[in-house]
Amino acid sequence: MEIKQAYANSPKTYEGYGSRLGVQKGAILDWSDYYFLHHLPLSLKDYNKWPSLPAHCREVIDEYGKEVVKLCGRLMKLLSINLGLAEDVLQNAFGGDNIGACLRVNFYPKCPRPDLTLGLSSHSDPGGMTLLLPDAQVPGLQVRKDNKWITVKPARHAFIVNIGDQIQVLSNAIYKSVEHRVIVNSAKERVSLAFFYNPRSDIPIEPLKELVAPDKPALYKPMTFDEYRLFIRTRGPRGKSQLVESLKSP
Ligand code: OGA
Ligand code: NI
């Protein structure tokens, strides 16, 4: 407990170890802890909040972050091309090289009454896209398809790629962010690594001009990711309702 306290997550940058921050008293919490670390921008990164043990931990996380950012850059090009646009349009709308990237390592302990709780309540990821490295042994992630929850089977050596809310906004809802949640179980604990690839946090994000026309009006009003993230963090996970409530065009 003492070591956990020393790395307690910061209410400002969110870096460090803990569970959900900044929610109202009495809010329903999740059956999980997480470690949250910033990879980019460098101004948010504080090694003092990163684990010092094992000795190579920081180095490994840094390298992992670099490689995943490269992969995300490639996926951004594919997503852009699939919208019928030039390959760099989405990345430019994210702020070019000034993107944000962070890692959330989730730990879901065993739960004596898994029927009473969730490891992580239903939500869509607020950022751009998420590369999730799920636990190879223990399933738990579920995605919503219509009104059914489908348990995702982890494939060996594969990431699960989630579209987040910011790509839904930029694509004017051609891409939809995926609603998902995590269930817990009584026999096994579970670990997952969620790497979030986000737009630069202080520029307005709105539907791409190329995708808006008189018969295809912009579905969302401009909002910076900083503003959106604050809105989400104070309210906690609530399915996909937040995107609709915060950003719907008047
Ligand atoms: C998340 C998330 C899923 C998982 O961290 O946003 O959805 O499988 N994690 O832990
Ligand atoms: Ni998620």
Side-chain angles (χ1 to χ4, degrees):
M1 185 49 76
E2 261 167 52
I3 298 174
K4 287 179 176 177
Q5 295 282 3
Y7 290 105
N9 44 6
S10 141
K12 263 215 184 107
T13 64
Y14 272 63
E15 272 202 313
Y17 179 81
S19 51
R20 207 180 310 150
L21 272 170
V23 286
Q24 280 116 16
K25 259 210 159 110
I28 297 171
L29 297 175
D30 298 316
W31 197 270
S32 59
D33 289 340
Y34 59 83
Y35 218 117
F36 188 78
L37 303 172
H38 285 286
H39 179 73
L40 290 169
L42 292 176
S43 58
L44 288 178
K45 186 172 178 178
D46 178 7
Y47 275 138
N48 294 320
K49 286 284 176 196
W50 291 38
S52 57
L53 292 172
H56 56 274
C57 184
R58 292 174 181 167
E59 209 181 304
V60 169
I61 296 175
D62 266 333
E63 191 182 345
Y64 183 82
K66 265 192 207 129
E67 293 302 321
V68 177
V69 164
K70 269 194 243 165
L71 176 57
C72 288
R74 269 185 258 155
L75 290 173
M76 290 285 280
K77 290 185 183 172
L78 293 175
L79 291 172
S80 207
I81 292 167
N82 282 342
L83 289 168
L85 305 173
E87 63 173 31
D88 54 356
V89 171
L90 258 191
Q91 188 69 51
N92 288 342
F94 263 50
D97 288 335
N98 299 312
I99 48 121
C102 43
L103 176 69
R104 176 173 157 143
V105 181
N106 296 295
F107 174 62
Y108 305 97
K110 286 183 229 177
C111 176
R113 290 291 306 273
D115 52 316
L116 292 180
T117 188
L118 286 167
L120 185 49
S121 306
S122 159
H123 66 284
S124 53
D125 295 336
M129 74 173 120
T130 306
L131 265 63
L132 181 77
L133 187 66
D135 195 303
Q137 263 85 47
V138 188
L141 175 67
Q142 295 188 321
V143 294
R144 187 175 175 133
K145 172 116 179 29
D146 306 320
N147 269 331
K148 280 211 189 81
W149 287 105
I150 298 169
T151 302
V152 178
K153 276 198 206 116
R156 268 170 63 77
H157 306 304
F159 284 120
I160 293 166
V161 179
N162 286 344
I163 296 290
D165 293 342
Q166 304 303 308
I167 287 186
Q168 175 165 337
V169 169
L170 285 167
S171 72
N172 208 20
I174 294 175
Y175 290 123
K176 306 270 193 306
S177 61
V178 61
E179 187 174 350
H180 55 287
R181 67 179 190 182
V182 179
I183 54 171
V184 281
N185 74 72
S186 56
K188 286 181 182 161
E189 53 195 36
R190 177 173 183 271
V191 174
S192 70
L193 272 68
F195 192 90
F196 303 111
Y197 188 83
N198 300 328
R200 180 182 167 146
S201 67
D202 59 356
I203 55 173
I205 301 294
E206 62 186 314
L208 293 165
K209 298 274 172 293
E210 296 90 330
L211 302 176
V212 173
D215 59 331
K216 284 181 263 169
L219 295 172
Y220 311 99
K221 61 181 190 208
M223 197 185 223
T224 67
F225 183 52
D226 272 335
E227 291 167 328
Y228 187 65
R229 184 156 54 177
L230 189 66
F231 180 82
I232 299 278
R233 281 175 173 172
T234 43
R235 291 160 48 104
R238 298 193 186 184
K240 278 196 66 170
S241 63
Q242 325 247 46
L243 181 59
V244 178
E245 281 165 37
S246 70
L247 291 165
K248 265 267 140 49
S249 267

